[in-house]
């Protein structure tokens, strides 16, 4: 990436609400110290969407600072396993990590908010909450308890409901089902009879192939195709009500963050915003074609039965009440996000949602008319 080209395109950061379009100039960069960091990701290099956000960030930061701020990127397992990235950042084993915050909800249920909660906001609502409604400030107050500073690293958009070995016709078919699922979605499905398992990307397919898992949710068509789930589990369900908007995180050791010059902090914020914008755009461009290929290859696309969706919503709300009563960290963030989401939905229902509905209806009519 050429520094001048990146500087011209840096205005994308303004749309994300992280920093102004004007970022560090070369003269300032040349006056700054040389810094070398390591970044450990929870994802393999083969997932060029997720892992690609890390390489985008690294290249952009180096370009803007004339190579004086270098971030060396490591895939899952090269330094630490996929689900130990946050720990490595907390202890200072690495300066940065790239992961899904909800992987660590076993430490504290409030970690889930950094990624997604079941029946939570969509990706645009999530971005608005994070960058313009105080959400990121609230999260970083929480992360500070774990010696972490967080920068959003991009959103997958709404995810699929996942791959199942057998057809699911009702909620009764979930009983005893062993399913790979991350975050609080596992808590919700557990109350519906599912046995949730949390595995890193590289461990999922072998477990599915051996029958250790009966079902798996990951992200969406493009990544799922790469990981080969359709070879073993032909039924592809939607929607993933537990992943209506999955945000990734760039975790930074808080002491290392505070020791950075302000100019480098601004560079990181700006480049992270650009990397996040690129990641979701890439998903939106690649998922449609991947879904076509999967269906052509024999994947059986299915909607989740209505009784599952209805039951899951009630269970989810009851679960949030329980978690709020048990954990002040959870309650503080949940109350703030829920209030924002309700206000947002009032507007969304008369703008984007109604437009999407009319657009789909019109398209279906065109198909019917030939």
């Amino acid at each position: 990436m050429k520094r001048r080209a990146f500087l011209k395109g840096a205005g994308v950061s303004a749309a994300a609400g992280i920093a102004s379009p004007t970022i560090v100039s070369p003269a300032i960069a040349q006056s700054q110290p040389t810094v070398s960091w390591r970044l450990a990701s929870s994802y393999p290099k083969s997932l060029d969407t997720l892992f690609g956000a890390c390489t985008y960030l690294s290249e952009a930061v180096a370009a803007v600072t004339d190579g004086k701020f270098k971030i060396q990127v490591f895939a899952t397992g090269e330094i630490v396993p996929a689900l130990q990235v946050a720990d490595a950042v907390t202890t200072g084993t690495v300066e940065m990590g790239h992961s899904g915050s909800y992987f660590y909800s076993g430490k504290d249920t409030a970690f889930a908010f950094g990624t997604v909660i079941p029946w939570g906001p969509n990706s645009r609502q999530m971005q608005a909450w994070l960058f313009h409604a105080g959400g990121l400030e609230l999260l970083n107050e929480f992360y500070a308890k774990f010696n972490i500073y967080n920068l959003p690293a991009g959103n997958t958009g709404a995810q699929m409901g996942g791959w199942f070995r057998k057809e699911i016709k009702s909620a009764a078919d979930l009983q005893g089902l062993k399913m790979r699922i991350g975050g609080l979605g596992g808590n919700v499905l557990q109350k519906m009879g599912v046995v949730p398992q949390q595995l890193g990307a590289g461990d999922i397919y072998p477990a599915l192939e051996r029958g250790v898992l009966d079902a798996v949710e990951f992200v969406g068509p493009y990544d799922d195709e790469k990981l080969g789930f359709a070879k073993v589990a032909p039924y592809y369900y939607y929607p993933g009500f537990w992943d209506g908007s999955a945000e990734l995180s760039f975790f930074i050791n808080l002491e290392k963050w505070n020791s950075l010059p302000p100019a480098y902090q601004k560079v990181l914020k700006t480049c992270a915003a650009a990397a996040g914008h690129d990641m979701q755009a890439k998903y939106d461009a690649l998922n449609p074609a991947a879904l076509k290929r999967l269906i052509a290859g024999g994947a059986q696309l299915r909607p989740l039965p209505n009784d599952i969706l209805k039951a899951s919503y009630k269970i989810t709300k009851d679960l949030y009440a329980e978690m709020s009563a048990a954990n002040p960290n959870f309650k503080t963030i949940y109350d703030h996000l829920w209030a924002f989401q309700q206000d947002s939905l009032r507007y969304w229902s008369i703008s984007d949602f109604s437009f999407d509905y009319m657009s789909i209806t019109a398209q279906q009519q065109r198909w019917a008319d030939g």
Side-chain angles (χ1 to χ4, degrees), residues 268-318:
L268 264 183
K269 288 182 177 181
T270 302
C271 293
H277 174 85
D278 179 74
M279 191 188 89
Q280 182 159 357
K282 186 183 291 185
Y283 270 121
D284 288 344
L286 296 174
N287 275 330
L291 182 60
K292 285 183 181 180
R293 290 193 298 269
L294 287 166
I295 293 172
Q300 302 295 306
L301 195 62
R302 298 280 192 277
L304 284 170
N306 284 334
D307 66 333
I308 291 178
L309 297 177
K310 289 178 181 178
S312 69
Y313 186 80
K314 183 182 185 307
I315 289 170
T316 297
K317 294 300 294 179
D318 290 344

Side-chain angles (χ1 to χ4, degrees), residues 143-214:
Y143 288 128
K145 304 175 193 294
F146 297 87
N147 197 32
I148 288 173
Y149 184 82
N150 176 64
L151 291 175
N155 202 291
T156 67
Q159 296 188 5
M160 296 292 285
W163 299 88
F164 292 72
R165 286 176 170 274
K166 296 181 180 179
E167 192 171 5
I168 303 298
K169 297 180 180 180
S170 72
D173 293 329
L174 297 178
Q175 294 299 313
L177 191 103
K178 300 183 294 295
M179 182 176 183
R180 184 274 179 188
I181 182 169
L184 300 187
N187 298 69
V188 173
L189 290 180
Q190 187 172 32
K191 289 181 178 289
M192 301 179 72
V194 171
V195 182
Q197 309 285 326
Q198 185 158 269
L199 298 172
D203 298 323
I204 302 172
Y205 182 83
L208 189 64
E209 186 179 39
R210 295 196 309 269
V212 176
L213 294 174
D214 301 309

